[in-house]
Amino acid sequence: KIIFEKQWFYLDNAIGHIYGTTFEVTNGGNLQPKKEVEETTTETKEAGTDNRNIVDDGKSQKLTHDDIKALKDKGIKGQEIVQQLIENSTTFRDKTEFAQDKYIKKKKKKYEAVITIVKPSTRILSTMYYAREPGKINHLRYDTLAQMLTLGNIRAGNKMIVMETCAGLVLGAVMERMGGYGSIIQMYPGGGPVRAATGCFGFPKLFFDHLHEFPLSKVDSLLSGTFSIETLPSEPEDSTLLEEESNGLTEEKETEQESTPEAAMEISQTEEPETMDINAEEAEFKESKEKENKENVREKQRKQWERRKKLIETAALLREKNADGLIVASKFHPTPLLLSLLEFLAPSRPFVVYCQYKEPLLECYTKLRERGGVINLKLSETWLRNYQVLPDRSHPKLTMSGGGGYLLSGITVILDKGKSDSSHLEALKMEEPSSKRCKVQDVHC
Amino acid sequence: MSFVEYGDTIKDGDTAIVFLGHESMFPVKVQHGTVTQTKYGVIRHSTDLIGKRYGSKVTCSKGGWVFILHPTPELWTMNLPHRTQILYSTDISIITMMLELKPGSIVCESGTGSGSLSHALIRTVAPTGHLYTVEFHQQRAEKAREEFREHGVEHLVTVTNQDVCKNGFGVSNIADAVFLDIPSPWEAIGHAKSALKAEGGRICSFSPCIEQVQRTCLAMEEYGFTEINTLEILLRVYNVRTISLQIPDLGKAAEDNSSTGFDSSNPSHQGSPCTNPQQGPVQFKSGVPLREMVGHTGYLTFATKS
């Protein structure tokens, strides 16, 4: 049973229909109406030309609130209620044709409850999250996400590093574009990666085979080379880690439950609710639950061992320092993330950082210039404008989004070694090709 | 290298991007024995490029240097030889997402034009998808074929030289998505519908003028497309600058030199020789919009066949 937009219904009847089918809600279950309801423009095609004689006296609708409620309670079809409203509106016939059209559309929206079930995709999910839960995805607007995927050259076969706190939406978008080819390393803060939105995509299990995760808190030790010592069998350390992670998992489940009703807006989640969250940990979690308690201890040890093995594998992947791209979209300050994570990238690879605010990216830009090893830095923002297109009534929609965040993108290059003193100067020179010419370069040509 | 796979080192026959700095770059075809002239001097392919890693700094004959980058559809878009007006990455990115493209997607496109969008589409649908692109201009179709061959993606694309409005895409019931960038898209909506899979798919039409959009929307409605939605996306680029604003002298400092005004929050003029600290500038970082920006490329109309 699912609640959506003040309606509750069962999804049982929806099974077996193709995606894009429109349903009408009856008392409880789903009913499948015709795809195209033929326009009920049977009423007199009478219309005014302007509104000079239309007075707002608040009495144009002859049906009262109670009348309308009574109609609804009788379970009368929405379509008929709309018809009644039109017939009882004294001003309807005087309205212009366009105003009549608008009136009908508005009433239909209110009384005719139709639901369309569509297939999940980045398009649908990112639009949905931005409209419904912008706070959970750091107000990352869908067109901004689209830019990230393109600027990051996301495609099959890449080895990507993703650091996000966008409920797993950005991760899901990257996974969709990679189609199960290549590998993704998700860097996560706290006890474990959040993948509530990733679950909504309904990816096949195969897609998760090459999805790795690595704790952000171990990045420094990995970069300084002290990592392996730290993770070798220090018993107490590991068990706290485990506990933390299981906490993370329950949190994740909660958020997913929260988002389920909205997700159902356009997404049929019923098809495979169990396979949604194919988190390796969770699968193991269930497995272990089935087994009896006596095996619990051994199971726990095995899990710990497996977890450690995976962690070491992921660390090895990172240590190769040959990733094909970096995507950052988090609630954290981007500068330290970028300065560290860029180390894992191969040269001549794109990176993209999202931030809800411009100022941190200004600082990040400056720090990256000082560091060097990056070119083509670009700070940008996109504006999105939606249009109403109707005969003789085309114009931009009345409201548009105030902001969808900012992006800083660039390309890595080989960093000059052993010239840390001059690297700052060089980075600055890179900006100004004119001054570059006068510069006496290290002459090894 | 290939446009659909990263390679580490530069090889003979590769297309590479020479980056001179400050958004100034151009593509080169790497060939043994060839030289390329830049304003920083000559690059000898055999010694300076082949065998080097992508992302390397290459020192030219006059002592200046450039970076050599691995090609991507985005870099290609910025550097390709124009045969027509092209689509840029901002529009391309929203098109790709709204058409729900991913590895394995089958896409139809018309016209091919300069192949800017084509390269991005191929990148996204590879390795198992395919692009069917239709270009009615024979010379452009030929040139596009040649480029796809050079870029190692010919197995992922079929270029057809015909008029899409008259003859369609040359395929039926196989596409997940259709993209139209032609002067009269409304004449191709019927063909687009039959190219799309029976179970449905997405369509997008790009037009600079609202009258074109109007006719396209009517045609889409007529052919039973749903979820018709028109939008426009604009890119704003910011230059990162350090700005300093002078503090005006209101005469206050003369009375009270140890004032607690702006100067206390600004370390930059501590120890400045200025006798009046309040007249020093206040510095801050700002993202300054470009003096001029692209205000309009085209309207994008999306719809679903279901």
Side-chain angles (χ1 to χ4, degrees):
Chain A
K1 186 172 144 183
I2 272 174
I3 298 171
F4 174 64
E5 296 273 320
K6 295 175 199 161
Q7 297 266 3
W8 63 271
F9 49 87
Y10 295 98
L11 285 167
D12 304 353
N13 289 343
I15 295 169
H17 292 289
I18 60 162
Y19 283 112
T21 307
T22 302
F23 301 92
E24 205 171 14
V25 182
T26 58
N27 297 334
N30 266 338
L31 188 110
Q32 195 200 4
K34 275 182 292 181
K35 272 233 166 139
E36 208 88 17
V37 190
E38 66 264 37
E39 290 298 309
T40 48
T41 42
T42 41
E43 83 264 20
T44 46
K45 265 286 187 184
E46 223 180 297
T49 49
D50 57 39
N51 58 7
R52 74 183 79 187
N53 295 318
I54 297 180
V55 188
D56 183 12
D57 55 2
K59 283 181 275 186
S60 59
Q61 181 54 256
K62 282 183 286 186
L63 290 178
T64 62
H65 275 291
D66 296 334
D67 292 339
I68 296 168
K69 194 168 180 298
L71 284 175
K72 275 210 262 187
D73 289 343
K74 270 191 260 171
I76 285 173
K77 270 186 146 184
Q79 216 173 316
E80 282 159 31
I81 298 179
V82 175
Q83 196 58 39
Q84 292 253 2
L85 285 170
I86 292 169
E87 278 163 21
N88 286 291
S89 168
T90 52
T91 49
F92 186 81
R93 240 161 304 197
D94 299 327
K95 285 177 196 273
T96 63
E97 209 179 309
F98 296 153
Q100 288 182 354
D101 206 30
K102 202 168 161 185
Y103 181 85
I104 295 171
K105 264 193 190 152
K106 225 161 114 184
K107 296 300 173 197
K108 270 192 172 170
K109 207 171 164 189
K110 192 162 169 194
Y111 296 103
E112 286 180 25
V114 291
I115 285 164
T116 307
I117 297 187
V118 299
K119 204 171 181 162
S121 65
T122 303
R123 167 177 77 98
I124 299 284
L125 287 169
S126 59
T127 315
M128 186 198 88
Y129 262 92
Y130 188 72
R132 300 234 150 196
E133 297 275 9
K136 281 197 178 139
I137 55 166
N138 304 298
H139 293 80
L140 168 69
R141 209 207 290 129
Y142 43 97
D143 54 311
T144 313
L145 176 61
Q147 301 298 316
M148 293 179 76
L149 298 171
T150 300
L151 290 172
N153 195 23
I154 312 293
R155 61 171 172 207
N158 278 7
K159 172 174 168 181
M160 292 299 304
I161 300 177
V162 177
M163 163 58 209
E164 64 128 292
T165 59
C166 293
L169 178 71
V170 175
L171 176 71
V174 172
M175 286 170 75
E176 185 183 274
R177 283 289 173 88
M178 290 179 55
Y181 301 91
S183 56
I184 305 172
I185 302 160
Q186 184 183 15
M187 316 297 291
Y188 63 87
V194 177
R195 290 175 187 165
T198 322
C200 297
F201 283 83
F203 289 129
K205 196 171 180 313
L206 167 101
F207 279 34
F208 291 86
D209 290 349
H210 299 287
L211 173 59
H212 309 269
E213 59 263 338
F214 192 81
L216 209 51
S217 57
K218 300 229 186 289
V219 166
D220 264 348
S221 63
L222 187 66
L223 283 172
S224 62
T226 54
F227 172 73
S228 51
I229 305 141
E230 207 176 305
T231 45
L232 278 177
S234 55
E235 222 22 78
E237 219 261 311
D238 254 22
S239 60
T240 49
L241 184 89
L242 195 70
E243 222 169 288
E244 266 181 325
E245 281 199 32
S246 57
N247 278 344
L249 273 176
T250 51
E251 252 175 44
E252 181 184 335
K253 266 192 221 153
E254 267 166 33
T255 50
E256 195 179 3
Q257 265 162 17
E258 258 176 69
S259 64
T260 301
E262 316 121 25
M265 163 165 77
E266 290 156 315
I267 297 134
S268 141
Q269 283 209 314
T270 42
E271 310 267 328
E272 55 236 310
E274 288 307 307
T275 50
M276 285 284 160
D277 199 48
I278 324 165
N279 198 313
E281 279 98 333
E282 179 147 318
E284 281 175 31
F285 191 62
K286 273 188 195 130
E287 239 176 61
S288 73
K289 241 182 164 179
E290 282 158 26
K291 301 201 172 175
E292 284 310 314
N293 278 346
K294 51 184 171 183
E295 276 196 32
N296 244 0
V297 183
R298 192 191 294 175
E299 188 63 23
K300 209 171 167 183
Q301 276 176 338
R302 195 183 64 82
K303 260 163 50 188
Q304 255 180 35
W305 183 78
E306 243 168 53
R307 192 183 303 279
R308 199 177 311 146
K309 200 177 109 188
K310 276 178 78 175
L311 194 68
I312 288 166
E313 271 173 22
T314 312
L317 278 175
L318 285 170
R319 226 183 261 124
E320 290 170 0
K321 298 195 173 186
N322 65 351
D324 295 319
L326 170 67
I327 300 283
V328 176
S330 79
K331 61 184 179 189
F332 299 108
H333 199 297
T335 306
L337 283 173
L338 220 59
L339 289 178
S340 294
L341 296 181
L342 275 179
E343 300 284 320
F344 299 120
L345 253 59
S348 194
R349 298 294 188 272
F351 61 90
V352 195
V353 203
Y354 167 81
C355 189
Q356 194 184 339
Y357 312 100
K358 190 160 57 174
E359 290 74 12
L361 292 179
L362 295 175
E363 194 205 309
C364 197
Y365 181 101
T366 314
K367 285 280 183 329
L368 285 177
R369 279 259 173 264
E370 283 170 20
R371 173 191 180 268
V374 292
I375 56 167
N376 214 26
L377 283 186
K378 197 157 141 193
L379 177 61
S380 66
E381 177 196 13
T382 46
W383 283 5
L384 189 68
R385 211 162 169 64
N386 278 287
Y387 285 82
Q388 166 180 304
V389 181
L390 289 169
D392 297 325
R393 281 160 293 164
S394 299
H395 57 73
K397 291 256 175 78
L398 245 42
T399 53
M400 69 186 272
S401 160
Y406 300 85
L407 294 177
L408 178 62
S409 62
I411 302 172
T412 56
V413 288
I414 292 177
L415 191 58
D416 273 347
K417 280 166 202 132
K419 288 201 293 174
S420 49
D421 280 341
S422 61
S423 72
H424 178 105
L425 256 172
E426 240 176 82
L428 284 174
K429 291 256 161 88
M430 230 161 60
E431 274 276 65
E432 273 102 27
S434 50
S435 62
K436 178 167 131 185
R437 221 177 302 181
C438 353
K439 196 180 170 204
V440 191
Q441 256 297 120
D442 39 317
V443 200
H444 46 137
C445 55
Chain B
M1 84 88 217
S2 142
F3 270 66
V4 291
E5 205 178 1
Y6 280 119
D8 276 341
T9 55
I10 305 164
K11 292 186 193 70
D12 189 30
D14 280 6
T15 297
I17 308 291
V18 179
F19 183 91
L20 295 104
H22 214 68
E23 305 250 316
S24 131
M25 46 186 148
F26 59 86
V28 282
K29 215 168 118 187
V30 181
Q31 275 172 317
H32 268 296
T34 311
V35 295
T36 298
Q37 294 288 345
T38 77
K39 57 178 173 179
Y40 304 128
V42 171
I43 302 171
R44 281 169 226 288
H45 292 202
S46 305
T47 51
D48 296 340
L49 298 183
I50 293 169
K52 287 257 180 75
R53 272 190 100 180
Y54 276 109
S56 299
K57 187 188 259 187
V58 172
T59 309
C60 309
S61 60
K62 286 188 200 161
W65 36 260
V66 298
F67 285 104
I68 306 296
L69 300 178
H70 197 288
T72 65
E74 286 60 53
L75 288 173
W76 181 246
T77 289
M78 285 189 263
N79 295 294
L80 57 82
H82 282 218
R83 299 183 284 273
T84 56
Q85 179 66 261
I86 63 160
L87 279 166
Y88 289 93
S89 297
T90 314
D91 285 309
I92 289 173
S93 61
I94 195 97
I95 292 165
T96 310
M97 178 156 121
M98 290 300 182
L99 287 181
E100 304 187 338
L101 301 183
K102 53 192 177 205
S105 296
I106 308 290
V107 197
C108 293
E109 176 203 34
S110 187
T112 314
S114 306
S116 170
L117 176 69
S118 312
H119 280 82
L121 295 176
I122 292 167
R123 175 262 317 273
T124 305
V125 306
T128 47
H130 200 85
L131 171 67
Y132 294 89
T133 183
V134 177
E135 171 61 55
F136 73 161
H137 191 286
Q138 200 199 330
Q139 198 189 353
R140 284 183 211 146
E142 209 42 65
K143 196 78 191 117
R145 273 193 205 110
E146 196 183 310
E147 269 172 13
F148 294 140
R149 207 163 32 241
E150 269 176 27
H151 295 165
V153 295
E154 57 184 320
H155 56 294
L156 296 163
V157 54
T158 306
V159 185
T160 312
N161 178 211
Q162 63 186 31
D163 184 351
V164 72
C165 295
K166 289 205 186 81
N167 311 311
F169 291 94
V171 292
S172 57
N173 293 322
I174 63 162
D176 297 290
V178 171
F179 177 81
L180 295 169
D181 178 6
I182 51 174
S184 51
W186 56 90
E187 289 174 18
I189 299 295
H191 294 300
K193 193 181 179 182
S194 55
L196 285 166
K197 281 178 180 161
E199 61 261 41
R202 296 276 293 167
I203 183 171
C204 174
S205 169
F206 174 95
S207 300
C209 307
I210 197 74
E211 290 81 2
Q212 293 170 303
V213 176
Q214 191 98 59
R215 298 179 74 164
T216 308
C217 283
L218 283 175
M220 283 176 174
E221 224 165 298
E222 201 180 303
Y223 280 98
F225 282 92
T226 57
E227 275 191 277
I228 302 170
N229 182 22
T230 301
L231 57 84
E232 187 184 21
I233 187 165
L234 291 177
L235 179 73
R236 282 181 73 88
V237 177
Y238 297 96
N239 282 324
V240 181
R241 294 271 177 270
T242 305
I243 311 287
S244 53
L245 293 181
Q246 201 81 27
I247 301 297
D249 178 13
L250 298 174
K252 202 181 169 194
E255 297 157 29
D256 180 13
N257 240 347
S258 61
S259 125
T260 54
F262 289 100
D263 56 329
S264 61
S265 63
N266 180 16
S268 73
H269 55 108
Q270 236 122 73
S272 82
C274 185
T275 48
N276 188 347
Q278 281 200 326
Q279 284 186 331
V282 171
Q283 288 199 335
F284 60 93
K285 281 237 178 293
S286 180
V288 186
L290 306 186
R291 207 167 56 81
E292 222 170 37
M293 62 176 265
V294 176
H296 180 69
T297 51
Y299 301 103
L300 291 164
T301 302
F302 295 94
T304 303
K305 173 193 176 182
S306 55

